[in-house]
């Protein structure tokens, strides 16, 4: 394929206060559309609700999951209602070490994370636990992505000053 | 499906050509383009159509993209359909497929005789990476989105696992991109009409390893519509138009779901797979032996490599529609190829091949269109063309319109009318009888499969 040079489209521009108007209104349908830019910023009060203890755990360097007292199903990413039988689950600490179940290197991303690219996303599995945990994987070279990364033993690292986000924990090779 | 369900026909459809941006019109007016085309193809003047139609179902995914709540009613009134009944449906990427099925139910239940399904999305109102952010909000905002929410990343992790389990390769994935883009070269509705090679796909910029830009669909502005009727409704339309329409029926529908968080997907045993997920054509001794051997290698189902919702939807549709061997009995499939990898995963969910065979199946030639030049050496002749239209990857993916676009393209295939609508008959398959449409939401959370049949 040919590599075309392009000038990036951006959303900044000029403030416009008037536009041309035809003398004959029959010509109005030939007019170009008027396109405006609006800001759209909202402050939300988001509650983690029944998931809150998980975030409190991260702030105290503890990684928690939930276990069903009825059927024993172990949710690595916590769920307070058992996915298998519907019973209310109990909080439990996860093992200190896990393995990379799958991963990707994001070279692009949602606008919010674009400045952090390239970063590694990974699904982590824990011995004896039924489901997985999505986290960042740090300490591997994003340019060297390969399938051998799957199965790598990893351990969690915690942020010293918690931001109460799931990124308060990340994983590094153990 | 209830035994008392009425027969449901698909009579006509319309698609506004999908484009990166349509600043010339608001969403209502883009929907009107697709509906005008649909009505014209029935052979009715618009006022006559308004007199006969009983109601509608509206389809669009995101209130963020429009920055407008209740956009559905604004389309409804722009279409002059008030005060007839309508409602909006939403189910991520499967929104269009769900809309088609809700319109089907309106007819099958006897509630309506003529129902219009319409859908749209206008994704150009924010720039691409903000758009990716909006889409990523369709992932758990406590545990998933803040870690680096990016749908291409989620699908990349799914296919990495598929590669680990089954040895699927990036070249096999690239075959899907080459097939769908080269098909779309003959589809005047497609947003991207490019002749590509495997090398082009692999050399395009890496987005989320191992998916490149040409493994991934693009964002679009666009709309699509579809007209469904009962036998009585069909007669009313024929009487009013003086035309005789080819009979295309909805043979059966199916729908499935799975957990929003990929991390929550179960890892089931062989016994549970056979109890809940195996299809009619997997009950023989050879298939059981094949799967037994997979599980002997610590395989689990569905994990993150397969879409249990897609399997559920297919299994239901096949059971309701009396399909025993999908690859032999279904003549073509329009499926949700937002990613080349998800087309491969979907072959397996839909039972076109076994779990684990999707990669080699993709490169075999069995899903290619006869008579289209691909520049590839393929070992098999086409058996069941998949995405003969070019799919989402080449046609575009204005989310709420996509599932209805698939219905439109499938209808035209079954009517033998591809030449008429595309202005090029290259993609017209030889006398197809049964087509399947498959619509899929975020990492396989909602999936619909509908079977259409010419009678
Ligand atoms: Zn339980």
């Amino acid at each position: 394929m040919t590599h075309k040079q392009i000038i990036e489209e951006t959303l900044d521009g000029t403030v416009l206060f008037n536009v041309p108007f035809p003398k004959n209104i029959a010509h109005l349908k030939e007019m170009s559309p008027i396109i405006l830019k609006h800001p759209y910023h909202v402050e939300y009060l988001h509650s983690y609700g029944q998931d809150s203890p998980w975030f409190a755990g991260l702030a105290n360097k503890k990684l928690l999951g939930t276990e069903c007292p009825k059927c024993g199903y172990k949710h690595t990413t916590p769920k307070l209602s058992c996915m298998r039988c519907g019973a209310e689950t109990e909080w439990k600490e996860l093992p200190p070490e896990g393995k990379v179940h799958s991963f990707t290197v994001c070279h692009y991303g949602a606008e919010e994370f674009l400045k952090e690219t390239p970063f590694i996303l990974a699904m982590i599995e824990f011995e004896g636990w039924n489901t997985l945990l999505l986290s960042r994987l740090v300490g591997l070279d994003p340019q060297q992505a390969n399938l051998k990364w799957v199965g790598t033993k990893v351990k969690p690292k915690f942020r010293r000053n918690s931001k109460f986000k799931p990124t308060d924990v990340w994983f590094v090779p153990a | 499906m209830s035994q008392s369900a009425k027969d449901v026909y698909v009579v006509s459809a319309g698609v506004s050509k999908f484009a990166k941006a349509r600043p010339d019109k608001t969403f209502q007016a883009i929907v009107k383009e697709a509906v005008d085309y649909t009505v014209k193809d029935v052979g009715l003047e618009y006022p006559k159509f308004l007199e006969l139609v009983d109601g509608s179902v509206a389809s669009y995914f995101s209130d963020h993209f429009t920055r407008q709540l209740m956009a559905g009613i604004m389309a409804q009134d722009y279409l002059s359909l008030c005060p007839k009944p309508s409602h909006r449906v939403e189910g991520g990427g499967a929104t269009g497929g769900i809309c088609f099925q809700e319109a089907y139910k309106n007819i099958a239940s006897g509630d309506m005789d003529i129902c219009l399904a319409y859908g749209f999305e206008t994704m150009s109102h924010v720039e691409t990476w903000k758009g990716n952010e909006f889409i990523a909000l369709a992932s758990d905002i406590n545990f998933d989105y803040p870690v680096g929410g990016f749908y291409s990343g989620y699908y990349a992790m799914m296919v990495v696992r598929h590669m680990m389990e089954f040895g699927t390769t990036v070249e096999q994935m690239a075959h899907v991109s080459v097939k769908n883009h080269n098909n779309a070269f003959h589809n005047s509705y497609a947003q991207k009409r490019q002749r590509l090679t495997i090398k082009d796909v692999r050399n395009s910029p890496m987005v989320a390893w191992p998916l490149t830009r040409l493994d991934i669909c693009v964002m679009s502005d666009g709309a699509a519509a579809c007209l469904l009727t009962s036998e009585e409704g069909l007669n009313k339309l024929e009487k009013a138009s003086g035309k005789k329409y080819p009979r295309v029926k909805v043979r059966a529908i199916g729908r499935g779901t799975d957990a929003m968080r990929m991390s929550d997907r179960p890892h089931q045993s062989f016994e549970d797979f056979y109890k809940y997920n195996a299809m009619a054509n997997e009950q023989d001794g050879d298939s059981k032996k094949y799967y037994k051997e997979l599980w002997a290698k610590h395989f689990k189902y569905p994990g993150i490599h397969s879409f249990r919702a897609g399997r559920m939807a297919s299994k239901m549709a096949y059971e309701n529609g009396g399909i025993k061997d999908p690859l032999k009995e279904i003549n073509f499939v329009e499926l949700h190829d937002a990613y080349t990898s998800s087309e491969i995963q979907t072959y397996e969910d839909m039972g076109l091949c076994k779990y684990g065979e999707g990669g080699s199946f993709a490169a075999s030639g069995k899903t290619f269109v006869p008579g289209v030049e691909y520049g590839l050496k393929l070992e098999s002749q086409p058996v069941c063309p998949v995405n003969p239209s070019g799919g989402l990857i080449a046609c575009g993916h204005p989310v709420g319109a996509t599932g209805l676009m698939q219905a439109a393209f499938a209808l035209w295939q079954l009517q033998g009318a591809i030449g008429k609508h595309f202005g090029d008959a290259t993609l017209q398959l030889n006398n197809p009888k049964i087509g399947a449409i498959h619509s899929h939401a975020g990492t396989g959370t909602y999936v619909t499969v509908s079977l259409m049949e010419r009678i």
Side-chain angles (χ1 to χ4, degrees):
Chain A
M1 271 192 311
T2 54
H3 284 272
K4 283 185 292 188
Q5 264 208 318
I6 53 163
I7 292 174
E8 199 93 27
E9 290 276 357
T10 60
L11 287 186
D12 50 358
T14 310
V15 178
L16 202 64
F17 290 105
N18 213 335
V19 291
F21 198 78
K23 282 207 174 67
N24 180 350
I25 61 165
H27 295 160
L28 273 175
K29 284 187 181 169
E30 286 146 39
M31 201 175 122
S32 297
I34 295 173
I35 303 169
L36 306 89
K37 186 174 79 168
H38 292 287
Y40 189 22
H41 175 83
V42 190
E43 296 283 348
Y44 277 100
L45 291 179
H46 181 74
S47 169
Y48 285 133
Q50 76 281 6
D51 297 332
S52 298
W54 190 77
F55 295 88
L58 298 187
N60 292 281
K61 299 190 171 26
K62 285 197 193 317
L63 193 53
L64 304 174
T66 61
E67 184 179 354
C68 177
K70 289 265 181 339
C71 77
Y73 200 70
K74 289 175 161 177
H75 307 75
T76 309
T77 308
K79 195 150 260 189
L80 271 291
S81 176
C82 174
M83 294 197 72
R84 192 150 70 184
C85 78
E88 191 176 322
T89 59
E90 310 287 352
W91 289 102
K92 284 273 147 66
E93 249 186 279
L94 290 177
E97 212 173 88
K99 275 198 304 193
V100 174
H101 182 80
S102 193
F103 74 91
T104 184
V105 179
C106 293
H107 293 271
Y108 292 89
E111 189 182 78
E112 185 178 343
F113 309 108
L114 211 49
K115 58 187 180 303
E116 299 165 25
T117 59
F119 58 83
I120 307 170
L121 288 181
M123 305 294 297
I124 313 294
E125 59 177 55
F126 293 87
E127 185 73 40
W129 285 71
N130 294 88
T131 61
L132 304 168
L133 178 69
L134 173 69
S135 195
R136 294 273 187 111
L137 184 56
V138 175
L140 292 168
D141 179 1
Q143 305 305 333
Q144 301 297 322
N146 71 83
L147 291 178
K148 290 192 188 115
W149 286 3
V150 176
T152 305
K153 284 189 175 166
V154 291
K155 58 179 187 197
K157 287 273 185 194
F158 299 90
R159 214 185 271 284
R160 247 182 316 127
N161 294 314
S162 188
K163 294 185 194 292
F164 296 93
K165 295 273 178 157
T167 39
D168 285 351
V169 63
W170 66 91
F171 286 79
V172 297
Chain B
M1 205 178 331
S2 141
Q3 291 302 316
S4 61
K6 284 188 167 187
D7 284 348
V8 179
Y9 296 86
V10 190
V11 178
S12 80
V15 179
S16 79
K17 186 184 156 95
F18 298 167
K20 187 174 167 56
R22 283 290 305 272
D24 60 310
K25 288 187 179 176
T26 62
F27 65 87
Q28 307 96 305
I30 303 173
V31 173
K32 183 76 174 5
E33 282 180 9
V35 174
D36 278 340
Y37 192 97
T38 306
V39 172
K40 199 165 161 237
D41 204 44
V42 182
L44 289 181
E45 295 294 330
Y46 206 79
K48 190 70 195 172
F49 163 75
L50 290 176
E51 196 184 307
L52 293 175
V53 68
D54 294 309
S56 69
V57 184
S59 157
Y60 59 99
F61 154 60
S62 173
D63 298 309
H64 293 67
F65 279 112
T66 36
R67 215 194 61 153
Q68 169 71 63
L69 301 185
M70 301 272 284
I73 194 60
M74 294 171 72
Q76 179 82 353
D77 74 43
Y78 202 86
L79 295 170
S80 317
L81 284 169
C82 298
K84 301 197 184 197
S86 186
H87 72 286
R88 175 246 184 136
V89 298
E90 189 277 309
T95 304
I98 292 172
C99 180
F100 181 84
Q101 295 193 343
E102 292 309 301
Y104 165 88
K105 290 179 190 173
N106 280 342
I107 307 290
S109 64
D111 200 37
M112 294 185 191
D113 281 320
I114 302 175
C115 181
L116 177 71
Y118 58 82
F120 70 90
E121 211 76 46
T122 47
M123 307 174 80
S124 66
H125 299 196
V126 294
E127 59 83 41
T128 302
W129 305 116
K130 187 52 111 180
N132 270 281
E133 196 174 300
F134 283 175
I135 291 168
L137 289 171
S139 61
D140 188 317
I141 60 158
N142 278 9
F143 293 97
D144 289 350
Y145 173 79
V147 179
F150 186 36
Y151 256 96
S152 297
Y154 302 159
Y155 279 87
M157 287 191 284
M158 294 187 119
V159 78
V160 162
R161 199 62 210 179
H162 201 272
M163 293 161 90
M164 289 303 295
E165 299 286 354
F166 307 128
T168 310
T169 67
V170 291
E171 286 74 24
Q172 290 169 339
M173 286 150 58
H175 273 75
V176 173
S177 183
V178 171
K179 167 174 70 68
N180 294 356
H181 279 99
N182 286 31
N183 289 350
F185 190 78
H186 301 283
N187 179 355
S188 52
Y189 282 93
Q191 188 170 336
K192 285 168 73 197
R193 301 175 72 186
Q194 298 168 336
R195 287 193 180 280
L196 296 180
T197 65
I198 302 282
K199 230 176 150 180
D200 291 333
V201 180
R202 290 318 301 165
N203 288 347
S204 80
M206 190 60 74
V207 175
W209 192 90
L211 298 171
T212 73
R213 197 165 279 183
L214 291 175
D215 282 308
I216 304 174
C217 69
V218 291
M219 292 193 207
S220 320
D221 284 0
C226 213
L227 195 61
L228 287 81
T229 73
S230 63
E231 182 90 44
E232 294 84 346
L234 190 72
N235 292 336
K236 278 191 228 171
L237 291 176
E238 285 189 338
K239 197 165 164 237
S241 69
K243 281 174 70 170
K244 179 99 183 136
Y245 312 120
R247 266 25 181 192
V248 175
K249 240 165 88 168
V250 181
R251 178 155 162 163
I253 62 169
R255 199 184 292 184
T257 58
D258 215 332
M260 170 59 101
R261 301 190 308 221
M262 264 162 54
S263 55
D264 288 340
R265 306 293 167 85
H267 294 72
Q268 297 182 124
S269 65
F270 172 82
E271 289 71 26
D272 280 351
F273 173 73
Y274 261 91
K275 190 169 168 192
Y276 301 114
N277 313 107
M279 288 214 263
N281 63 336
E282 292 171 330
Q283 301 299 334
D284 60 296
D286 280 355
S287 300
K288 282 192 176 160
K289 185 165 170 282
Y290 172 90
Y291 281 120
K292 195 110 215 179
E293 280 165 15
L294 264 188
W295 260 270
K297 289 184 277 182
H298 306 291
F299 178 82
K300 294 280 192 309
Y301 181 85
I304 60 167
H305 47 75
S306 300
F307 304 121
R308 185 173 53 154
R311 173 49 70 98
M312 180 80 185
S314 309
K315 196 166 135 69
M316 271 178 76
Y318 299 165
E319 284 171 6
N320 291 332
I323 299 285
K324 300 256 160 11
D325 188 345
L327 181 64
K328 294 213 181 78
E329 294 171 59
I330 297 171
N331 303 120
F332 69 92
V333 178
E334 288 287 344
L335 66 77
H336 193 97
D337 59 327
Y339 300 90
T340 54
S341 51
S342 58
E343 175 160 328
I344 289 178
Q345 291 161 300
T346 298
Y347 294 155
E348 300 172 349
D349 302 326
M350 293 187 79
L352 301 177
C353 60
K354 290 192 180 66
Y355 281 109
E357 295 176 340
S360 53
F361 184 72
S364 70
K366 287 180 183 164
T367 60
F368 287 64
V369 176
V372 172
E373 186 47 57
Y374 297 103
L376 294 168
K377 279 205 185 71
L378 302 163
E379 66 190 33
S380 301
Q381 291 300 310
V383 179
C384 175
V386 174
N387 287 323
S389 67
L392 281 56
I393 270 199
C395 294
H397 182 23
V399 186
T402 304
L404 295 170
M405 165 195 80
Q406 294 172 319
F409 294 161
L411 174 68
W412 296 341
Q413 276 291 356
L414 293 166
Q415 291 176 331
I418 287 290
K420 171 182 162 192
H421 296 288
F422 288 4
D424 177 345
T426 308
L427 298 172
Q428 178 63 55
L429 303 172
N430 182 23
N431 201 24
K433 291 275 195 297
I434 299 179
I437 53 175
H438 161 279
S439 195
H440 161 122
T443 69
T445 44
Y446 293 108
V447 179
T448 65
V449 170
S450 305
L451 297 174
M452 291 162 70
E453 173 184 27
R454 205 196 61 226
I455 50 170

